[in-house]
Amino acid sequence: MGTQESDEQVRGTGRRAVLGAAVLGAGGAVLGLPGAAGAAAGGGAAGGRGGGLKSLPVPTVIGHRGASGYRPEHTFGSYELALDLGAHIVEAGDLVPTRDGHLVCRHEPEIGGTTDVADHPEFADRRTTKTLDGVPTTGWFTEDFTLAELKRLRAVERIPANRPHSTLYNGRWEIPTFEEVLKWQDEQTRRRGRQVWIYPETKHPTYFRKLGLGLEERVAKLLRKYGKDGKNSPVIVQSFEPSSVQRLNKLVDNPLVVLLSGVNTRPWDFVEVGDPRTVADLVTKEGLREIASYAQGIGPTVDLVVPKDTNGDLTEPSTLVRDAHAVGLILHPYTVRNENPFLPPKFRRGTAADGYGDVFGVFQAYFATGIDGIFTDNPDTGLLAREDFLGGRHVNR
């Protein structure tokens, strides 16, 4: 998730201790996280509320691109650490295609910022400028590489100014395919003794369809191959383009979610076909009823749930949660991060770009609106905030 997010990159040094947990690496131990295992245990089919989406604990803590606050995003290191930290769901993967038609997990088709491709002289001539959803973008693109070529690359930290510690893990993991993720999901489910959930996204589906690399059919084929195409499947599929979700709705029975960006933005598929509607139209009662006809949920930016004022501080919640619930839609807003630049000004602590602010207060503000879950780069922090919220506690730092 996240083309439509604002990923602010700023410089700075210093880091406060990881909130809520001491981490001993992907696959390692997690210390000082009371209740996380118990909360995570509610994520399987035995969660007590029926199968499928109803089995998920509320509010659900979703590891955004894994535990991307601590490891390079969309790697098995990031995904496994999210599970180690107790995430109820892992957003394993933003799906983009290779030239030979395989689906791989990258934040964007442009991979200059998330891999070491620039260090490979044999790929120097692949650097180019393309127009991606109306925006000229320069770099290296997955659709210009075969899967075998991409497997020669290694993942790197995307925002090192905010996460210098994560650069320690640069070069450790390769780019995973979606098929590998589906196999990994089964392996982790067996190993951990609970159902592991994943939350893939179709990225820029209109762009790729025009290139002859349609995403939805490829996603559906793999879901069917691994028996994960049913309404109670532990795979939620999301997209910023409503037409992609509508297409998926005809191909699989999985729970589906429409992602919603800024209130005045237009989904790119709307732009392509001349549909004048904006996100503001989609979050009206009428717009939400339409979404509910082909999807089970929405993934709004947190600003649609609690708008910000001109200073960037939180104001009063909107009616979105109430209106979405009224038509049967769940809400999984995105994205809460621990670092100062990603928090409303009043919740920042100091000025360090990699320093942590009062993210617990931010979580509390969002949980209080009645959302069903939230995406976070720091699942351990999100779970501690969830415990505080469910226990009626508010922790000021």
Side-chain angles (χ1 to χ4, degrees):
M1 175 190 300
T3 299
Q4 287 82 346
E5 304 176 44
S6 173
D7 284 319
E8 183 180 358
Q9 297 190 33
V10 293
R11 299 181 180 276
T13 58
R15 168 165 296 278
R16 296 174 65 180
V18 174
L19 299 181
V23 180
L24 300 181
V30 180
L31 307 178
L33 191 58
R49 300 192 299 129
L53 289 176
K54 292 183 178 181
S55 72
L56 292 169
V58 177
T60 307
V61 175
I62 305 158
H64 185 232
R65 308 175 199 161
S68 56
Y70 310 119
R71 300 289 187 272
E73 63 195 27
H74 287 313
T75 60
F76 282 121
S78 182
Y79 297 160
E80 290 188 19
L81 182 56
L83 294 178
D84 291 345
L85 294 175
H88 302 128
I89 308 178
V90 180
E91 190 195 28
D94 291 334
L95 303 180
V96 292
T98 65
R99 187 173 69 196
D100 47 350
H102 296 276
L103 294 177
V104 295
C105 304
R106 287 291 84 195
H107 168 50
E108 286 291 325
E110 197 291 301
I111 55 174
T114 61
T115 73
D116 62 358
V117 63
D119 297 332
H120 287 255
E122 70 272 27
F123 297 138
D125 62 351
R126 306 280 178 96
R127 191 171 188 268
T128 186
T129 298
K130 300 188 180 190
T131 300
L132 185 63
D133 290 3
V135 179
T137 305
T138 299
W140 292 263
F141 295 80
T142 59
E143 66 268 25
D144 296 331
F145 291 77
T146 65
L147 178 59
E149 290 172 331
L150 285 181
K151 283 295 187 179
R152 290 154 60 182
L153 307 180
R154 292 296 179 267
V156 300
E157 172 55 42
R158 186 174 57 86
I159 47 175
N162 303 110
R163 293 165 180 173
H165 68 289
S166 190
T167 63
L168 173 66
Y169 304 97
N170 284 354
R172 181 167 290 271
W173 294 288
E174 63 180 27
I175 298 173
T177 69
F178 185 45
E179 184 161 20
E180 288 169 344
V181 164
L182 293 171
K183 294 177 180 178
W184 168 86
Q185 179 187 21
D186 289 339
E187 178 211 351
Q188 293 294 316
T189 294
R190 288 191 297 270
R191 184 163 75 84
R192 296 173 186 269
R194 69 176 180 96
Q195 179 60 64
V196 168
W197 282 69
I198 61 172
Y199 212 138
E201 175 189 345
T202 58
K203 299 289 292 192
H204 305 288
T206 295
Y207 168 82
F208 284 119
R209 185 164 294 279
K210 291 173 72 174
L211 295 178
L213 292 168
L215 300 179
E216 296 82 7
E217 294 81 4
R218 288 175 167 82
V219 170
K221 181 178 179 180
L222 286 171
L223 291 175
R224 287 193 293 267
K225 178 178 178 180
Y226 290 92
K228 299 180 180 183
D229 57 333
K231 67 177 182 178
N232 290 331
S233 169
V235 182
I236 307 170
V237 189
Q238 58 185 334
S239 182
F240 276 103
E241 296 189 15
S243 63
S244 180
V245 179
Q246 290 171 319
R247 191 181 297 273
L248 285 163
N249 186 48
K250 296 177 181 178
L251 295 170
V252 294
D253 292 326
N254 293 70
L256 303 173
V257 167
V258 176
L259 297 167
L260 300 169
S261 188
V263 67
N264 294 318
T265 63
R266 291 168 69 197
W268 186 251
D269 53 339
F270 284 17
V271 175
E272 286 278 345
V273 300
D275 187 331
R277 290 179 297 167
T278 65
V279 168
D281 298 300
L282 296 181
V283 296
T284 63
K285 292 180 180 179
E286 179 182 359
L288 292 169
R289 278 195 299 271
E290 180 184 341
I291 290 174
S293 71
Y294 58 85
Q296 286 67 52
I298 57 173
T301 171
V302 289
D303 292 353
L304 292 175
V305 177
V306 184
K308 294 185 175 75
D309 62 20
T310 55
N311 294 323
D313 285 311
L314 301 181
T315 63
E316 291 299 310
S318 71
T319 64
L320 181 59
V321 174
R322 182 188 67 198
D323 294 342
H325 284 167
V327 295
L329 293 169
I330 63 168
L331 296 91
H332 290 160
Y334 67 93
T335 305
V336 177
R337 299 179 167 101
N338 284 2
E339 295 88 5
N340 278 316
F342 306 114
L343 301 175
K346 290 183 179 179
F347 292 90
R348 296 171 189 169
R349 298 294 179 263
T351 59
D354 63 337
Y356 286 177
D358 176 20
V359 69
F360 288 115
V362 174
F363 274 113
Q364 292 286 334
Y366 294 134
F367 286 151
T369 66
I371 57 174
D372 300 281
I374 198 158
F375 285 82
T376 176
D377 290 6
N378 308 86
D380 53 339
T381 310
L383 284 163
L384 284 173
R386 178 181 185 272
E387 279 195 358
D388 292 338
F389 173 71
L390 295 178
R393 300 184 300 274
H394 180 76
V395 178
N396 291 309
R397 297 186 63 86

